[in-house]
Amino acid sequence: MRRYFNTEGQCYPEEHYMVRLDERLEKIKRLFIDPGKYFVINRGRQYGKTTTLYALEEYLKEEYLVVSLDFQGIGTAEFDNEYSFTKAFMRMFHEALDENGEDGENTDIAFLMEPGQTTLSEMFYQLSKFCKAVPKPVVMMIDEVDSASNNQVFVDFLSQLRSYYLKRRKRPIFHSVILVGVYDIKNLKLKIRPDAEHQYNSPWNIAAEFDINMSFSEDQICQMLGEYEADCQTGMDMRTVAEEIYQYTSGYPYLVSVICKILDERLPEYKAFKDSGNIWSGEGITEAVRILLNIKSPLFDSMARQLDAYRDLRDLIEEVLYQGKRVPFSPDAKAVNIGLMFGFLKEKGGQVVVANRIFEMRLLNMFITEEALKSDAFRCGERDKNQFIADGRLNMELVLEKFVEYFHDVYGENDEKFVESYGRKFFLLYLKPIINGTGNYYLEAQTRDAGRTDVVVDYLGEQFVVEMKIWRGNEYNERGERQLSEYLDYYHQKKGYLLSFNFNRKKEIGVRRITLGDKVIVEAVV
């Protein structure tokens, strides 16, 4: 059976095309396992946590007795009290020993499988005896700790772990413990004790900081594509394709895999992509991204739910995307901390930014779709859209002309603060129905700030770079024109578009063309 790109569950190198984890596993063992640290691997959904965990189990088994548990195997009722929890926990513990070929019946913990009630403290006393009796240091891994996120009994379980960890020179216990999930332990406490006094009073303050990068680098993506190319011989430029995929995903494991999966499995069904060399190209990746942005997935469903649950996080992301707001990075800010935990945000140059281009595009689509029914800008774009497409090409200059007319008629009398906050949002709302279903756009993070934001529009393989800028005077405006001209080189474009929101009462509203060297700038002023 030919290997394939897997986006559902754990990956195995003999079955799936995947990034090799040897370097990551060696680093985890050297920095965390060998020194006997207790730590948490918390990353966003579908970030390769489970795949890493089980690969690590295989990597460690020669030197350590690895007990790998999954809290999804414990039912809700079993978290009800410590007696039901300890029975369920020890059942899983025995199962893990059996899977490793250990004879659980000959250990000092076998009696816990018999009917009866056992407390957490008694269970840990027996686990201590077990760890002392076995010949290898014991490493315990617990996947999906989120399953216990709203249960006090789990917090009590962590407290016992902490107590034994602090006294482990006198009372033998696990050599190393790894807890894996989306939520970190500090935020598990939030769900149980929402009052401010207890929000960050975690029983897991013994945990070492797990700072290993689990995203994929361009080199790792290229290596994975090399294995695929050896099997399929598409003739792709692996380095160029890897760089392009990375530009969209920033190495988020699921997003890398799903783009490759679409390229491998779905695009060959499209008439325009019968040639495999044409698939594994910039054009193919653009089409794969378009498909990805229109499919449902657990990752995107979770994103929508979390933004509904954490309104401060949603407001922060909207300000960053729509207004170009520069938010100083601080992991102590609650909304930022939660966005980091879910993998929606990251730090770049001391600022908070959305984690990757795909997330930006998906979030913009979600925000705009939610606002479309009440947005005059969206309705006007829907009304005007048929005049902007001719022979399969988008007339961006005409789009700007019509937007200037619409904006001046509807919002021309509003104050500067209103336009700064909403002007760019209105343009995106106007543009969305025009390209919907055929094209996409994203905001270029490299140039975004409170004064200017570049939106890059992809429409049937053609790209348009539109700079949206707040007018700050002639000198600033001319500098912006030169910056856009230089930026067009990056996209290999000769024509760019500049949308200026101008508050000068003597401004000339309309569209004009400017020539800068070999570049043409179409500037629209509202």
Side-chain angles (χ1 to χ4, degrees), residues 349-365:
Q351 304 292 321
V352 175
V353 298
V354 177
N356 57 70
R357 189 182 292 174
I358 297 292
F359 281 3
E360 286 192 350
M361 298 166 81
R362 187 80 183 208
L363 288 164
L364 276 172
N365 286 344

Side-chain angles (χ1 to χ4, degrees), residues 281-392:
S281 65
E283 183 181 356
I285 293 169
T286 299
E287 180 63 18
V289 169
R290 188 192 68 80
I291 293 171
L292 172 58
L293 292 174
N294 288 286
I295 64 175
K296 287 182 66 65
S297 78
L299 175 61
F300 296 136
D301 289 345
S302 174
M303 176 183 287
R305 288 195 305 271
Q306 302 302 354
L307 292 186
D308 283 342
Y310 298 96
R311 300 301 298 185
D312 289 348
L313 174 61
R314 181 192 175 101
D315 292 344
L316 172 63
I317 292 175
E318 285 199 18
E319 289 176 344
V320 169
L321 290 181
Y322 278 141
Q323 299 177 30
K325 186 172 182 180
R326 296 179 69 84
V327 179
F329 178 80
S330 171
D332 297 321
K334 187 175 178 180
V336 174
N337 181 36
I338 293 172
L340 292 172
M341 181 179 69
F342 291 138
F344 303 161
L345 301 176
K346 66 180 180 181
E347 181 272 338
K348 184 175 182 180
Q351 304 292 321
V352 175
V353 298
V354 177
N356 57 70
R357 189 182 292 174
I358 297 292
F359 281 3
E360 286 192 350
M361 298 166 81
R362 187 80 183 208
L363 288 164
L364 276 172
N365 286 344
M366 181 175 70
F367 295 157
I368 287 174
T369 299
E370 290 174 353
E371 293 195 40
L373 293 178
K374 59 183 180 181
S375 169
D376 289 335
F378 187 91
R379 284 194 291 271
C380 286
E382 181 73 26
R383 179 199 64 200
D384 297 343
K385 64 181 182 181
N386 291 333
Q387 62 187 293
F388 300 125
I389 310 298
D391 299 325

Side-chain angles (χ1 to χ4, degrees), residues 22-41 43 56 59-60 63-64 139 165 168 175-178 206-213:
D22 304 69
E23 184 177 345
R24 182 187 304 173
L25 299 178
E26 185 278 330
K27 196 171 184 180
I28 294 173
K29 179 178 182 295
R30 173 169 48 86
L31 296 180
F32 295 93
I33 302 299
D34 290 343
K37 294 183 179 181
Y38 286 25
F39 60 101
V40 179
I41 301 178
R43 294 292 187 276
L56 184 62
Y59 192 77
L60 296 174
E63 295 182 39
Y64 297 95
V139 175
Y165 172 86
R168 58 183 176 168
H175 175 77
S176 181
V177 174
I178 311 169
I206 57 172
E209 180 184 359
F210 184 78
D211 56 357
I212 292 178
N213 186 2

Side-chain angles (χ1 to χ4, degrees), residues 9-199:
Q10 186 179 346
C11 293
Y12 302 94
E14 65 275 12
E15 297 179 19
H16 307 122
Y17 295 110
M18 58 180 288
V19 165
R20 296 301 176 185
L21 301 177
D22 304 69
E23 184 177 345
R24 182 187 304 173
L25 299 178
E26 185 278 330
K27 196 171 184 180
I28 294 173
K29 179 178 182 295
R30 173 169 48 86
L31 296 180
F32 295 93
I33 302 299
D34 290 343
K37 294 183 179 181
Y38 286 25
F39 60 101
V40 179
I41 301 178
N42 69 279
R43 294 292 187 276
R45 298 212 176 277
Q46 296 182 281
Y47 217 100
K49 300 183 296 295
T50 299
T51 295
T52 296
L53 195 66
Y54 285 96
L56 184 62
E57 180 181 358
E58 288 296 309
Y59 192 77
L60 296 174
K61 66 182 183 181
E62 293 299 321
E63 295 182 39
Y64 297 95
L65 172 57
V66 181
V67 181
S68 183
L69 312 178
D70 185 339
F71 268 10
Q72 283 187 328
I74 299 181
T76 302
E78 292 171 313
F79 281 110
D80 186 55
N81 58 68
E82 65 180 304
Y83 304 115
S84 56
F85 174 78
T86 53
K87 186 173 182 179
F89 181 89
M90 294 313 303
R91 180 190 70 241
M92 294 181 63
F93 202 93
H94 272 273
E95 289 173 354
L97 291 176
D98 289 342
E99 290 171 359
N100 284 343
E102 300 289 334
D103 184 5
E105 295 300 321
N106 293 329
T107 71
D108 290 325
I109 60 172
F111 81 95
L112 290 179
M113 295 302 295
E114 300 299 325
Q117 294 187 336
T118 303
T119 64
L120 278 168
S121 59
E122 176 63 22
M123 182 183 79
F124 269 88
Y125 173 70
Q126 296 299 330
L127 288 172
S128 177
K129 292 172 64 177
F130 169 77
C131 291
K132 182 178 181 180
V134 295
K136 294 180 181 179
V138 181
V139 175
M140 181 172 68
M141 303 174 172
I142 305 178
D143 199 6
E144 299 293 347
V145 292
D146 306 78
S147 302
S149 61
N150 60 350
N151 297 282
Q152 182 62 45
V153 68
F154 179 59
V155 175
D156 296 338
F157 171 78
L158 293 180
S159 296
Q160 289 287 334
L161 268 178
R162 178 182 183 276
S163 176
Y164 271 83
Y165 172 86
L166 293 175
K167 298 179 180 179
R168 58 183 176 168
R169 291 195 176 187
K170 297 180 179 179
R171 298 185 299 182
I173 197 63
F174 307 110
H175 175 77
S176 181
V177 174
I178 311 169
L179 305 182
V180 181
V182 173
Y183 287 86
D184 65 27
I185 300 305
K186 179 175 67 177
N187 288 311
L188 291 179
K189 192 77 169 181
L190 272 171
K191 291 192 169 185
I192 302 167
R193 301 290 296 275
D195 52 300
E197 178 182 354
H198 295 282
Q199 281 187 354

Side-chain angles (χ1 to χ4, degrees), residues 462-478:
E462 189 173 7
Q463 287 188 317
F464 305 85
V465 180
V466 184
E467 180 181 314
M468 299 179 288
K469 180 171 61 64
I470 305 299
W471 194 85
R472 304 295 189 197
N474 287 327
E475 183 178 347
Y476 179 85
N477 194 60
E478 291 173 0

